[in-house]
Amino acid sequence: MSFRHKHILGTEQLSKEDIELILDTADSFKEVNTRDIKKVPTLRGKTVINLFYEASTRTRTSFEIAGKRMSADTINISASASSVVKGETLEDTARNIEAMHPDIIVMRHSASGAPHYLAERLTESSIINAGDGAHEHPSQAMLDLMTIREHKGKIEGLTVAIVGDIAHSRVARSDLYALKTMGATVRLAGPGTMIPPGIEKLGAEVYTDINEAIKDADVIIMLRIQMERQGNTLIPSLREYSQFFGLNPENLKLAKPDAIVMHPGPMNRGVEISSYVADGSQNVILDQVENGVAVRMAMLYLLAGGQETE
Ligand code: CP
């Protein structure tokens, strides 16, 4: 089956077949990452540019590793080291980059819709959204679903609780779309100030009590309080937030005994998640990071095409 999209801008546009194709392709690439020689010629001759206007540890490194392990030429550009600091517009920067004929531009930006803006204006390159403002983060959602499927054997029929600053979370939005498409029940929980009005219309159950949200859940995804996105003005204090919305060994007992605990990172230990839980036996947080490379290899492969893995 071939992938029918030129760009990957969000999970809202992905069908069940699209998601299964990404996850199955990622499964087939995962083994490359544990080989002694971690390189396949699949994307030889392809060029991938990582254009990051916002800080990132996991996503940028993971896209870079994914490209390099598939033999693509991978170039990183950060806003602080580009001509953006001299006043160049996003569109001009992108048009200049496209004039060098990259196959794929992976882009993170603080403005929601920035990758969509580029996708409408560039003619040649495919765009992957690596996180746009509080809108979407599709590669994070795909690695989350890959991790859930690995640990639970399925996604359909599971109950997934996502807890935290839902309003500012591109991860919550991308996970919600993808999990609903795959047939999971999605519960969103957080303080009322962090729940966007009308989110239940997207098919989520909404809670303002973490205990109700995680009761009998199969999967718990904890979100970071985003200080850089007004997170601190929406709650009285971090201490109170931790007390009422943090995941700790006591409230974790409300979930199913075999529930898995996830976090997209970066974690605020002692705020949304206790260190005991973050390092505990139910956490699969580093599995998420590991799967991130395989999922990004799959996304690059499906957009750029290429030879079969050798
Ligand atoms: N999960 C995630 O997007 O992490 P980074 O901000 O480090 O890329």
Side-chain angles (χ1 to χ4, degrees), residues 38-61:
K38 301 174 183 60
K39 206 160 188 90
V40 290
T42 317
L43 295 184
R44 192 161 49 201
K46 302 288 182 184
T47 304
V48 178
I49 295 192
N50 292 326
L51 180 59
F52 275 62
Y53 285 81
E54 248 193 3
S56 168
T57 300
R58 280 145 288 264
T59 312
R60 194 170 90 164
T61 312

mmCIF file of all heavy atoms in Angstrom, residues 38-61:
data_model
loop_
_atom_site.group_PDB
_atom_site.id
_atom_site.type_symbol
_atom_site.label_atom_id
_atom_site.label_comp_id
_atom_site.label_asym_id
_atom_site.label_seq_id
_atom_site.Cartn_x
_atom_site.Cartn_y
_atom_site.Cartn_z
ATOM 1 N N LYS A 38 24.328 0.719 12.152
ATOM 2 C CA LYS A 38 22.947 1.231 12.121
ATOM 3 C C LYS A 38 22.721 2.098 10.888
ATOM 4 O O LYS A 38 22.459 3.301 11.006
ATOM 5 C CB LYS A 38 22.679 2.046 13.397
ATOM 6 C CG LYS A 38 22.865 1.253 14.680
ATOM 7 C CD LYS A 38 22.741 2.146 15.892
ATOM 8 C CE LYS A 38 23.008 1.384 17.168
ATOM 9 N NZ LYS A 38 24.351 0.783 17.239
ATOM 10 N N LYS A 39 22.820 1.512 9.752
ATOM 11 C CA LYS A 39 22.654 2.299 8.531
ATOM 12 C C LYS A 39 22.133 1.424 7.403
ATOM 13 O O LYS A 39 22.636 0.320 7.197
ATOM 14 C CB LYS A 39 23.996 2.919 8.125
ATOM 15 C CG LYS A 39 23.853 4.182 7.313
ATOM 16 C CD LYS A 39 25.142 4.987 7.370
ATOM 17 C CE LYS A 39 25.029 6.336 6.752
ATOM 18 N NZ LYS A 39 24.629 7.377 7.669
ATOM 19 N N VAL A 40 21.104 1.948 6.694
ATOM 20 C CA VAL A 40 20.600 1.280 5.496
ATOM 21 C C VAL A 40 20.581 2.311 4.365
ATOM 22 O O VAL A 40 20.516 3.519 4.630
ATOM 23 C CB VAL A 40 19.185 0.705 5.725
ATOM 24 C CG1 VAL A 40 19.230 -0.475 6.683
ATOM 25 C CG2 VAL A 40 18.221 1.765 6.216
ATOM 26 N N PRO A 41 20.650 1.858 3.109
ATOM 27 C CA PRO A 41 20.767 2.826 2.006
ATOM 28 C C PRO A 41 19.427 3.382 1.517
ATOM 29 O O PRO A 41 19.374 4.064 0.499
ATOM 30 C CB PRO A 41 21.428 1.999 0.905
ATOM 31 C CG PRO A 41 20.987 0.611 1.175
ATOM 32 C CD PRO A 41 20.770 0.477 2.649
ATOM 33 N N THR A 42 18.371 3.135 2.250
ATOM 34 C CA THR A 42 16.998 3.398 1.795
ATOM 35 C C THR A 42 16.778 4.796 1.223
ATOM 36 O O THR A 42 16.067 4.967 0.245
ATOM 37 C CB THR A 42 16.039 3.175 2.981
ATOM 38 O OG1 THR A 42 16.445 1.987 3.652
ATOM 39 C CG2 THR A 42 14.608 3.046 2.537
ATOM 40 N N LEU A 43 17.333 5.816 1.832
ATOM 41 C CA LEU A 43 17.088 7.192 1.370
ATOM 42 C C LEU A 43 18.361 7.842 0.808
ATOM 43 O O LEU A 43 18.507 9.074 0.862
ATOM 44 C CB LEU A 43 16.491 8.044 2.501
ATOM 45 C CG LEU A 43 15.093 7.630 2.986
ATOM 46 C CD1 LEU A 43 14.567 8.600 4.038
ATOM 47 C CD2 LEU A 43 14.095 7.545 1.824
ATOM 48 N N ARG A 44 19.242 7.005 0.260
ATOM 49 C CA ARG A 44 20.472 7.547 -0.315
ATOM 50 C C ARG A 44 20.116 8.524 -1.432
ATOM 51 O O ARG A 44 19.256 8.236 -2.279
ATOM 52 C CB ARG A 44 21.336 6.405 -0.864
ATOM 53 C CG ARG A 44 22.736 6.841 -1.221
ATOM 54 C CD ARG A 44 23.673 5.678 -1.317
ATOM 55 N NE ARG A 44 23.120 4.605 -2.148
ATOM 56 C CZ ARG A 44 23.514 3.328 -2.092
ATOM 57 N NH1 ARG A 44 24.458 2.957 -1.264
ATOM 58 N NH2 ARG A 44 22.992 2.432 -2.875
ATOM 59 N N GLY A 45 20.743 9.689 -1.419
ATOM 60 C CA GLY A 45 20.477 10.694 -2.456
ATOM 61 C C GLY A 45 19.336 11.647 -2.106
ATOM 62 O O GLY A 45 19.094 12.608 -2.838
ATOM 63 N N LYS A 46 18.634 11.389 -1.021
ATOM 64 C CA LYS A 46 17.556 12.284 -0.586
ATOM 65 C C LYS A 46 18.109 13.294 0.418
ATOM 66 O O LYS A 46 19.051 12.993 1.170
ATOM 67 C CB LYS A 46 16.417 11.499 0.080
ATOM 68 C CG LYS A 46 15.806 10.426 -0.802
ATOM 69 C CD LYS A 46 14.976 11.019 -1.904
ATOM 70 C CE LYS A 46 14.323 9.932 -2.751
ATOM 71 N NZ LYS A 46 13.591 10.471 -3.891
ATOM 72 N N THR A 47 17.525 14.484 0.431
ATOM 73 C CA THR A 47 17.974 15.537 1.345
ATOM 74 C C THR A 47 16.832 15.923 2.288
ATOM 75 O O THR A 47 15.717 16.193 1.832
ATOM 76 C CB THR A 47 18.428 16.786 0.549
ATOM 77 O OG1 THR A 47 19.437 16.383 -0.383
ATOM 78 C CG2 THR A 47 18.985 17.859 1.465
ATOM 79 N N VAL A 48 17.150 15.928 3.583
ATOM 80 C CA VAL A 48 16.153 16.290 4.609
ATOM 81 C C VAL A 48 16.684 17.486 5.382
ATOM 82 O O VAL A 48 17.821 17.459 5.871
ATOM 83 C CB VAL A 48 15.918 15.113 5.587
ATOM 84 C CG1 VAL A 48 14.918 15.513 6.677
ATOM 85 C CG2 VAL A 48 15.440 13.874 4.843
ATOM 86 N N ILE A 49 15.890 18.554 5.458
ATOM 87 C CA ILE A 49 16.293 19.737 6.243
ATOM 88 C C ILE A 49 15.413 19.848 7.470
ATOM 89 O O ILE A 49 14.177 19.846 7.370
ATOM 90 C CB ILE A 49 16.208 21.009 5.379
ATOM 91 C CG1 ILE A 49 17.230 20.901 4.247
ATOM 92 C CG2 ILE A 49 16.438 22.257 6.239
ATOM 93 C CD1 ILE A 49 17.488 22.156 3.470
ATOM 94 N N ASN A 50 16.028 19.887 8.627
ATOM 95 C CA ASN A 50 15.311 20.098 9.888
ATOM 96 C C ASN A 50 15.347 21.587 10.210
ATOM 97 O O ASN A 50 16.407 22.130 10.526
ATOM 98 C CB ASN A 50 15.982 19.326 11.028
ATOM 99 C CG ASN A 50 15.835 17.830 10.855
ATOM 100 O OD1 ASN A 50 14.829 17.353 10.357
ATOM 101 N ND2 ASN A 50 16.854 17.080 11.267
ATOM 102 N N LEU A 51 14.186 22.250 10.097
ATOM 103 C CA LEU A 51 14.105 23.703 10.282
ATOM 104 C C LEU A 51 13.372 23.956 11.601
ATOM 105 O O LEU A 51 12.147 23.838 11.677
ATOM 106 C CB LEU A 51 13.330 24.287 9.095
ATOM 107 C CG LEU A 51 13.094 25.788 9.023
ATOM 108 C CD1 LEU A 51 14.405 26.555 9.024
ATOM 109 C CD2 LEU A 51 12.286 26.132 7.765
ATOM 110 N N PHE A 52 14.137 24.245 12.635
ATOM 111 C CA PHE A 52 13.550 24.331 13.979
ATOM 112 C C PHE A 52 13.597 25.764 14.508
ATOM 113 O O PHE A 52 14.672 26.309 14.749
ATOM 114 C CB PHE A 52 14.250 23.355 14.931
ATOM 115 C CG PHE A 52 13.663 21.968 14.857
ATOM 116 C CD1 PHE A 52 13.705 21.241 13.678
ATOM 117 C CD2 PHE A 52 13.040 21.388 15.959
ATOM 118 C CE1 PHE A 52 13.136 19.980 13.593
ATOM 119 C CE2 PHE A 52 12.473 20.131 15.882
ATOM 120 C CZ PHE A 52 12.513 19.420 14.691
ATOM 121 N N TYR A 53 12.410 26.337 14.694
ATOM 122 C CA TYR A 53 12.272 27.691 15.234
ATOM 123 C C TYR A 53 11.991 27.667 16.736
ATOM 124 O O TYR A 53 11.724 28.696 17.319
ATOM 125 C CB TYR A 53 11.112 28.414 14.531
ATOM 126 C CG TYR A 53 11.424 28.873 13.133
ATOM 127 C CD1 TYR A 53 11.365 27.990 12.067
ATOM 128 C CD2 TYR A 53 11.789 30.195 12.872
ATOM 129 C CE1 TYR A 53 11.636 28.398 10.783
ATOM 130 C CE2 TYR A 53 12.060 30.623 11.586
ATOM 131 C CZ TYR A 53 11.987 29.716 10.542
ATOM 132 O OH TYR A 53 12.263 30.141 9.262
ATOM 133 N N GLU A 54 11.961 26.475 17.310
ATOM 134 C CA GLU A 54 11.687 26.317 18.745
ATOM 135 C C GLU A 54 12.621 25.260 19.292
ATOM 136 O O GLU A 54 13.055 24.381 18.560
ATOM 137 C CB GLU A 54 10.260 25.795 18.943
ATOM 138 C CG GLU A 54 9.298 26.757 19.572
ATOM 139 C CD GLU A 54 8.019 26.037 20.010
ATOM 140 O OE1 GLU A 54 7.898 24.813 19.879
ATOM 141 O OE2 GLU A 54 7.143 26.759 20.492
ATOM 142 N N ALA A 55 12.881 25.330 20.594
ATOM 143 C CA ALA A 55 13.773 24.357 21.225
ATOM 144 C C ALA A 55 13.230 22.941 21.084
ATOM 145 O O ALA A 55 12.016 22.733 21.023
ATOM 146 C CB ALA A 55 13.920 24.697 22.706
ATOM 147 N N SER A 56 14.142 21.989 21.012
ATOM 148 C CA SER A 56 13.754 20.574 20.950
ATOM 149 C C SER A 56 14.961 19.719 21.292
ATOM 150 O O SER A 56 16.070 19.997 20.846
ATOM 151 C CB SER A 56 13.287 20.226 19.532
ATOM 152 O OG SER A 56 13.162 18.830 19.375
ATOM 153 N N THR A 57 14.743 18.703 22.095
ATOM 154 C CA THR A 57 15.785 17.699 22.311
ATOM 155 C C THR A 57 15.426 16.450 21.521
ATOM 156 O O THR A 57 16.135 16.039 20.594
ATOM 157 C CB THR A 57 15.890 17.329 23.812
ATOM 158 O OG1 THR A 57 16.221 18.507 24.535
ATOM 159 C CG2 THR A 57 16.951 16.266 24.050
ATOM 160 N N ARG A 58 14.283 15.849 21.861
ATOM 161 C CA ARG A 58 13.896 14.558 21.296
ATOM 162 C C ARG A 58 13.590 14.625 19.802
ATOM 163 O O ARG A 58 14.134 13.860 19.009
ATOM 164 C CB ARG A 58 12.643 14.019 22.022
ATOM 165 C CG ARG A 58 12.935 13.372 23.345
ATOM 166 C CD ARG A 58 11.794 13.664 24.298
ATOM 167 N NE ARG A 58 11.895 15.074 24.662
ATOM 168 C CZ ARG A 58 12.485 15.502 25.758
ATOM 169 N NH1 ARG A 58 12.949 14.635 26.603
ATOM 170 N NH2 ARG A 58 12.602 16.791 26.019
ATOM 171 N N THR A 59 12.701 15.539 19.425
ATOM 172 C CA THR A 59 12.185 15.514 18.047
ATOM 173 C C THR A 59 13.285 15.794 17.034
ATOM 174 O O THR A 59 13.427 15.093 16.032
ATOM 175 C CB THR A 59 11.034 16.526 17.903
ATOM 176 O OG1 THR A 59 10.133 16.334 18.985
ATOM 177 C CG2 THR A 59 10.305 16.364 16.588
ATOM 178 N N ARG A 60 14.074 16.823 17.296
ATOM 179 C CA ARG A 60 15.099 17.176 16.308
ATOM 180 C C ARG A 60 16.172 16.094 16.206
ATOM 181 O O ARG A 60 16.555 15.683 15.113
ATOM 182 C CB ARG A 60 15.744 18.523 16.649
ATOM 183 C CG ARG A 60 16.544 19.029 15.467
ATOM 184 C CD ARG A 60 16.995 20.428 15.629
ATOM 185 N NE ARG A 60 18.286 20.452 16.277
ATOM 186 C CZ ARG A 60 19.086 21.503 16.283
ATOM 187 N NH1 ARG A 60 18.709 22.626 15.695
ATOM 188 N NH2 ARG A 60 20.233 21.468 16.880
ATOM 189 N N THR A 61 16.643 15.624 17.367
ATOM 190 C CA THR A 61 17.678 14.585 17.353
ATOM 191 C C THR A 61 17.161 13.339 16.660
ATOM 192 O O THR A 61 17.855 12.684 15.872
ATOM 193 C CB THR A 61 18.072 14.225 18.804
ATOM 194 O OG1 THR A 61 18.307 15.437 19.514
ATOM 195 C CG2 THR A 61 19.305 13.368 18.857
#
